[in-house]
Amino acid sequence: MTNSVFSGVKMFQHFIITRFNLRKVDWTLSKTNAPVLTDTWMSNRLALFENYCFSSLTAQTEQNFTWLVFFDITTPDKFRREITRLEQIFPQFTPVFIDGMDAFQSQIRVQIKQRLKKPYVIASRLDNDDSLHQDYVREVQSHFAQQSFMAIDIVDGYTLQVEPHVCFAKRSHVHNPFISLIERASEIKTVWFLDRHGQWSNVKALKSVRNKPMWMSVIHMENKVNTFLGFDSVPWNCIKSFNLASEVEQSLAEKCISFNSWKSRSIKNKLKTKWKVNMKLFKRKLTN
């Protein structure tokens, strides 16, 4: 059953939730030991955000959503002006300024409740440096069927390494950072009630969606933990559906290294990924 059954007025509101530069006690360095939350970090991260993440949201084929992006109240004015510029370009983009990571969970619920007009809520996670396929929002909403509590886990996607070498490949990840949650508006927890996306392995009310690559993780030098785990040779043209900033996409295409140069790594990544994905999905079947 899909939301097409409920034709006409939609019975839900869809919120995409992204955290940005929220202060956190144990987050001071990137994976290359470079300081985070500095002006340099913020400039680089805003560029990543606009070129990879923001551009993919503006191109969604379904525009019925609100994008709540949480920034720290300490964000300097020069960056607030950039944020305002983006807000003027894309009305779904809704910046929210809060007092650090400690306020994040409670403020998600506050911000959603302030905007609630429908009996159901869909909330989707999105990191500020990743990209969504142009049909991601449409795909997530197609699984709405008045569930009181149901997570949607789109297992398959892509991954793009932008430095030090450019690689574009398939990626599969059970309980990944792009998960969504459908629930009754009267009892909202939101998709972020579990801080770590891996914790969804303990939730039974979850639908795994296969063979619809709707997301792309972007691997860069400022990631905190992510590494390139892509596999298989993928035609570069597949990246077009993620609608990266055109000049960035063109530059990446020119720098993309040949598949043969990392083919052995692809084989290792594929074997490891297939094993993990199949085991997690098998365990889920056993517990449901």
Side-chain angles (χ1 to χ4, degrees), residues 77-92:
D77 287 344
K78 62 181 177 180
F79 298 124
R80 287 182 182 244
R81 287 191 289 271
E82 284 297 296
I83 293 164
T84 298
R85 177 180 63 81
L86 296 176
E87 186 179 12
Q88 292 170 345
I89 294 171
F90 187 47
Q92 282 84 344

Side-chain angles (χ1 to χ4, degrees), residues 116-274:
L116 274 180
K117 298 176 182 177
K118 302 293 178 66
Y120 293 90
V121 170
I122 303 175
S124 301
R125 286 181 55 137
L126 175 62
D127 288 344
N128 62 57
D129 52 354
D130 289 333
S131 302
L132 297 179
H133 186 282
Q134 62 193 23
D135 292 328
Y136 171 89
V137 171
R138 187 182 298 279
E139 174 64 27
V140 170
Q141 293 185 7
S142 76
H143 296 281
F144 173 75
Q146 292 184 300
Q147 301 98 324
S148 59
F149 186 92
M150 175 64 71
I152 307 298
D153 185 22
I154 302 176
V155 174
D156 303 301
Y158 295 102
T159 185
L160 172 68
Q161 178 177 288
V162 300
E163 54 185 346
H165 307 293
V166 176
C167 300
F168 177 53
K170 295 177 184 177
R171 175 84 172 102
S172 296
H173 189 178
V174 177
H175 312 133
N176 60 60
F178 303 88
I179 203 160
S180 298
L181 178 65
I182 301 168
E183 56 187 340
R184 291 187 185 276
S186 58
E187 305 169 15
I188 62 168
K189 293 184 177 181
T190 87
V191 70
W192 276 93
F193 88 96
L194 294 175
D195 184 49
R196 290 181 289 110
H197 52 84
Q199 294 173 315
W200 285 95
S201 60
N202 300 318
V203 176
K204 289 187 177 182
L206 183 146
K207 180 179 182 180
S208 299
V209 179
R210 297 303 313 270
N211 303 315
K212 291 186 176 182
M214 289 285 131
W215 49 263
M216 183 171 69
S217 60
V218 179
I219 311 301
H220 53 88
M221 299 308 290
E222 290 186 351
N223 284 127
K224 184 178 180 181
V225 293
N226 287 358
T227 55
F228 183 76
L229 297 172
F231 57 89
D232 283 357
S233 178
V234 177
W236 183 262
N237 198 49
C238 289
I239 209 169
K240 299 289 186 183
S241 295
F242 291 86
N243 296 283
L244 307 185
S246 57
E247 65 277 9
V248 170
E249 194 255 304
Q250 182 178 350
S251 174
L252 291 170
E254 294 169 355
K255 297 175 183 176
C256 190
I257 61 175
S258 70
F259 176 69
N260 286 337
S261 66
W262 63 278
K263 190 173 182 179
S264 60
R265 185 179 180 187
S266 169
I267 294 170
K268 292 177 183 177
N269 286 348
K270 186 172 185 176
L271 290 173
K272 183 177 180 180
T273 297
K274 294 294 184 183

